[in-house]
Amino acid sequence: MDRESDLEEEVRMMVASLRRHAQRLERAGIRSVPVGNADGGVVGGAPQAGWLSGVEGGLFSDSTEAYRAQSLEELRSAIGDCRRCKLWPGRTHLVFGVGNPRAEVMFIGEGPGRDEDLQGEPFVGRAGQLLTDIIVRGMGLRRDDVYIANVIKCRPPDNRNPEPDEVESCEPFLLKQIELVKPRIIVALGKFAAQTLLKTKVPIMRLRGIWHEFRGIKIMPTLHTAYLLRNPGDKKLVWEDIKKVIKELRTPAL
Ligand code: URA
């Protein structure tokens, strides 16, 4: 193909992708999208404050109620008895999230395991006990000072990795949780949470221990506590990362 037909193909693909996006917005009941100004801010027509009011609002294909939720309770009730992906028949509980709705620090894991599915609360099994130790003994906080959630809210069969369609269904709810809690810092636990939030395939060993930015929020990727149970020798790496989080928390917010 010559360069001109390459370009035509590229434009055709962009138009098709924009059309698909517009159709999703329409299904979500969104008739107009805010227009960015020169500073990257938003002018006019935004249905609601916060970064979900931009293009990300289109992630809510059937969930305008969730999109408009003003509190975690409203968001939870909008999610309802969710059947948006193929995980619902296998779950006991949908595991939404737990903790301080105004937390400065939010921990985000992958998805519920067996104990979490049974109890309806994230990080309550062995990996959860280790996370609680990190929060309480390592950081000097209480578990209910922080907010804890997962990328996906329902347990995958046999704890397999979440699949892309499952993440696509659930991700808007995580983004909305983050928008509502407005943490100063997110600790992304493990490859899956870090790669999903940062939209990258870079391995967790290269992401961890370095501050990243997620829509104006500082994000510290670190190793998952389930991994640490199998590889206790790497606990020192997580401690290094958590010390950076503690230091940042002690720095007055601007
Ligand atoms: N692992 C996770 O990623 N999340 C949980 O809630 C429990 C274990």
Coordinates of all heavy atoms in Angstrom, one line a residue, residues 11 19 59 70 81 116 131 156 165 193 198 216 220 244:
V11 N -7.6 7.1 8.6 CA -8.7 8.0 8.9 C -10.0 7.2 9.0 O -10.8 7.5 9.9 CB -8.8 9.1 7.7 CG1 -10.1 9.9 7.8 CG2 -7.6 10.0 7.8
R19 N -17.2 6.8 15.8 CA -18.6 6.4 15.7 C -19.1 5.5 16.8 O -20.1 5.7 17.5 CB -18.9 5.8 14.3 CG -20.4 5.6 14.1 CD -20.7 5.2 12.7 NE -20.5 6.2 11.7 CZ -19.8 6.1 10.6 NH1 -19.3 4.9 10.3 NH2 -19.6 7.1 9.8
L59 N -17.7 5.4 29.2 CA -17.5 4.0 29.7 C -18.8 3.4 30.3 O -19.0 2.2 30.4 CB -16.4 4.0 30.8 CG -15.0 4.2 30.3 CD1 -14.1 4.4 31.5 CD2 -14.5 3.0 29.5
Q70 N -23.4 10.4 43.6 CA -22.8 11.5 44.4 C -22.1 10.9 45.6 O -21.5 11.6 46.4 CB -23.8 12.6 44.8 CG -24.5 13.3 43.7 CD -23.5 14.2 42.9 OE1 -22.7 14.9 43.6 NE2 -23.6 14.2 41.6
D81 N -27.7 -5.6 41.5 CA -27.4 -7.0 41.4 C -26.8 -7.2 40.0 O -27.5 -7.8 39.1 CB -28.7 -7.8 41.5 CG -28.6 -9.3 41.4 OD1 -27.5 -9.8 41.7 OD2 -29.5 -10.0 41.0
E116 N -13.1 -13.4 50.1 CA -13.7 -12.1 49.8 C -15.1 -12.3 49.2 O -16.1 -11.6 49.6 CB -12.9 -11.3 48.9 CG -11.6 -10.8 49.5 CD -10.5 -11.8 49.6 OE1 -10.6 -12.9 48.9 OE2 -9.6 -11.7 50.4
L131 N -2.1 -7.5 54.0 CA -2.3 -6.0 53.7 C -2.7 -5.3 54.9 O -2.2 -4.2 55.2 CB -3.4 -5.9 52.6 CG -3.8 -4.5 52.3 CD1 -2.6 -3.7 51.7 CD2 -5.0 -4.4 51.3
P156 N -13.5 -14.3 39.8 CA -13.4 -15.1 38.7 C -13.3 -16.6 39.1 O -12.8 -16.9 40.1 CB -12.1 -14.7 38.0 CG -11.7 -13.5 38.7 CD -12.3 -13.5 40.1
D165 N -13.0 -8.3 28.8 CA -14.4 -7.9 28.8 C -14.9 -7.7 30.2 O -15.8 -6.8 30.5 CB -15.3 -8.9 28.1 CG -15.2 -10.3 28.7 OD1 -14.1 -10.8 29.0 OD2 -16.3 -10.9 28.8
A193 N -3.6 -4.5 38.8 CA -4.1 -3.2 39.2 C -3.3 -2.1 38.6 O -3.8 -1.1 38.0 CB -4.2 -3.0 40.7
L198 N -2.7 2.2 34.8 CA -1.8 3.0 34.1 C -1.8 2.8 32.6 O -1.1 3.3 31.8 CB -0.3 2.8 34.6 CG -0.1 3.2 36.1 CD1 1.2 2.8 36.6 CD2 -0.3 4.7 36.2
G216 N -4.1 13.2 38.1 CA -3.8 14.1 39.2 C -3.6 13.5 40.5 O -3.4 14.2 41.5
M220 N 1.3 4.7 43.5 CA 2.5 3.9 43.8 C 2.2 2.4 43.5 O 1.5 1.8 44.3 CB 2.9 4.1 45.2 CG 4.1 3.2 45.7 SD 5.6 3.4 44.8 CE 6.2 5.0 45.3
K244 N 7.9 5.1 50.9 CA 7.8 6.3 50.1 C 6.4 6.9 50.2 O 6.1 8.1 50.2 CB 8.0 5.9 48.6 CG 9.5 5.6 48.3 CD 9.7 5.3 46.9 CE 11.2 4.8 46.7 NZ 11.5 4.3 45.4

